[in-house]
Amino acid sequence: MAEVISGPAPYIYVSTRLRVRKAKLLRAEEYHRMLNMSLPEITRYIEELEYKTEIDELAPSFSGVDLLEVALSWNLAKEFQRVLALTPGAMAGFTGAYLQRWDIANVLTVLRGRTQGFRPGKIKEVLIPAGSLDRAVLDRLVVEEAPDRIAEGLRGTHLYPVVERELSAGIESGNFARLENELYKEYYSDLIRVARSGVRGGNEFLQYIQLEIDITNMQNLWRLRSGGATGEIRDFMIPGGRIPVEELNRLGSAETTDEIVDALKKRTNIPALQDAIEELRCGCSVRQIETRLIRFKLEQMDRMSRRYPFSISPVLVYLERKYYEVYNLRAIARGKAANLAPERIQEHLVI
Amino acid sequence: MVDVGTAVMTVEMIQASQVGLKAVGAGLAVGLTGVGTGLAEMGIGAAAVGATAENRDMFGLALIFTVIPETIVIFGLVVALLLLF
């Protein structure tokens, strides 16, 4: 029977479910408590939360920080697939398109892992099958020896045209950075196309994507500057945001941070984004600036989900928040395993 | 000359149509408030089912919230009864 979806009820249903799930995510004080725990204590602590099934299932095969890391990845993939399963109609289209970023991450992990000689089993541990390429497809890709065989395995998927175009250059240089950039550019242009396709709720989705593109471009700009890159940085920037690529390219060769901050502030009319840009004057490390930008992005996304309570926004906010929960738990686990001081670990958390 | 028989019939007809219009009014009062209640419950019900699916403890509270718009149709029913009796 054809699925009948009309009216606002499906949006209300899904938004409420994901709001309840968001409320169950870890709070700042819980992260602070975890910073003072040992690794086994952290494992036990999160076992009492949403990660119980994965930890129980993986405990016979892994231990210590590996157990935590693989359990977190599995939980993230499962959770994202569940969200995709419960979103109806146009929302499922937006959510599916948004989750395709995991396909890019997985394919690049497989390519890099195989060219660097890692065993398929080791690569499988770090894959997060949350996108359209499921575990069966990834299992098939991961056993392929040569990069061109991996690319062949992608035939018929949305990634194939870009992979086919850029792969040979990547193999020659031994570096897949350009392929990665091109895949992400294609991904964002696809998202913008989906948002502009006239489907209801597309406008909110577009705002969300543009915010993400702007923040990612700013992060890249700061990374490139700290890495000493001058001149043309156009290729590293994602088109489609509110701040044009030409402007970002010009700012890549700016002399001072103040110059960049002033120029970026002129380009935006969102007060919150202007405040976030103003904070970049702090003279902090690239890591701190990135954390600030991510924190701003999440706050802004929360604000959008309150402004449009029954739209795609609450779904995307949940996906992002969940990702950063796993990111924080992983940072704490890895930090603890490396015997870092809690203050050092805290710098890396997005709370 | 006025036809007396016709005049009596007209008064009866008017009285009958007044009763009919009361019934139509009562029907509209219940019907329209029923539609209003349905519209209000659509959103609340969807949210209630969503919240209960995530947390079963919400069931009681969600049910209470869902039936709050029933008051609208009860007002309609009261108006209908006042009209009819």
Side-chain angles (χ1 to χ4, degrees), chain B:
Chain B
M1 280 275 300
V2 178
D3 183 349
V4 177
T6 310
V8 170
M9 280 303 288
T10 308
V11 170
E12 280 174 355
M13 278 170 70
I14 289 168
Q15 281 173 340
S17 77
Q18 277 177 341
V19 173
L21 283 173
K22 270 186 184 175
V24 171
L28 283 174
V30 175
L32 291 177
T33 50
V35 171
T37 300
L39 285 174
E41 283 184 354
M42 175 180 66
I44 302 171
V49 173
T52 312
E54 289 297 324
N55 182 2
R56 279 169 190 272
D57 298 340
M58 290 292 292
F59 178 71
L61 201 59
L63 191 70
I64 291 172
F65 283 139
T66 310
V67 299
I68 284 175
E70 291 290 332
T71 49
I72 305 171
V73 77
I74 293 170
F75 291 149
L77 186 69
V78 170
V79 170
L81 292 174
L82 286 174
L83 278 173
L84 291 176
F85 303 105

Side-chain angles (χ1 to χ4, degrees), chain A residues 71-82:
Chain A
L72 291 172
S73 302
W74 277 37
N75 181 273
L76 190 69
K78 189 186 81 181
E79 194 61 24
F80 283 3
Q81 292 294 347
R82 276 180 63 191

Side-chain angles (χ1 to χ4, degrees), chain A residues 10-259:
Chain A
Y11 276 79
I12 297 173
Y13 168 74
V14 172
S15 303
T16 313
R17 278 195 81 159
L18 294 179
R19 263 203 197 98
V20 175
R21 279 190 196 194
K22 196 176 121 213
K24 286 186 192 164
L25 294 177
L26 291 170
R27 292 190 184 82
E29 58 268 20
E30 287 171 294
Y31 289 122
H32 290 137
R33 207 178 304 147
M34 264 188 253
L35 284 171
N36 298 315
M37 291 181 187
S38 67
L39 199 55
E41 281 175 330
I42 294 172
T43 312
R44 260 201 308 279
Y45 186 74
I46 67 163
E47 200 183 353
E48 289 164 15
L49 306 170
E50 305 291 311
Y51 302 89
K52 185 175 171 32
T53 322
E54 287 78 17
I55 290 184
D56 288 350
E57 203 173 316
L58 293 163
S61 325
F62 299 91
S63 63
V65 71
D66 288 337
L67 169 64
L68 211 66
E69 182 133 12
V70 179
L72 291 172
S73 302
W74 277 37
N75 181 273
L76 190 69
K78 189 186 81 181
E79 194 61 24
F80 283 3
Q81 292 294 347
R82 276 180 63 191
V83 171
L84 194 56
L86 66 87
T87 47
M91 269 178 136
F94 292 146
T95 314
Y98 190 74
L99 286 177
Q100 280 178 358
R101 67 177 53 196
W102 293 99
D103 293 337
I104 300 176
N106 288 333
V107 166
L108 286 164
T109 308
V110 173
L111 276 173
R112 286 182 173 137
R114 292 307 278 163
T115 47
Q116 286 168 19
F118 282 95
R119 284 180 296 108
K122 191 76 196 156
I123 301 170
K124 265 189 218 172
E125 284 172 24
V126 290
L127 295 179
I128 302 176
S132 60
L133 303 179
D134 59 14
R135 205 172 277 280
V137 177
L138 293 172
D139 282 353
R140 258 202 324 274
L141 292 181
V142 92
V143 292
E144 297 288 357
E145 292 279 340
D148 44 352
R149 293 283 306 150
I150 297 172
E152 207 50 42
L154 290 170
R155 191 181 280 276
T157 66
H158 61 106
L159 298 177
Y160 186 69
V162 179
V163 172
E164 191 199 20
R165 196 175 69 222
E166 299 291 337
L167 188 70
S168 52
I171 296 169
E172 265 174 40
S173 62
N175 180 349
F176 295 111
R178 195 181 148 76
L179 171 65
E180 185 170 4
N181 288 345
E182 293 303 314
L183 282 172
Y184 277 108
K185 278 187 203 171
E186 183 72 18
Y187 164 74
Y188 281 109
S189 74
D190 272 352
L191 286 186
I192 292 174
R193 190 175 43 74
V194 170
R196 288 193 171 137
S197 61
V199 180
R200 204 172 130 227
N203 202 25
E204 290 88 339
F205 188 55
L206 184 64
Q207 284 184 33
Y208 194 95
I209 299 306
Q210 284 182 326
L211 175 73
E212 191 166 301
I213 293 175
D214 284 338
I215 299 286
T216 310
N217 279 341
M218 276 192 247
Q219 282 178 342
N220 287 343
L221 181 64
W222 248 262
R223 273 189 209 167
L224 287 163
R225 278 178 65 83
S226 72
T230 48
E232 290 294 300
I233 57 165
R234 193 179 284 113
D235 282 351
F236 299 101
M237 296 295 154
I238 304 161
R242 284 197 190 85
I243 306 165
V245 171
E246 286 309 313
E247 179 81 11
L248 291 161
N249 186 41
R250 193 181 62 73
L251 293 175
S253 48
E255 295 282 318
T256 61
T257 309
D258 286 341
E259 199 180 322

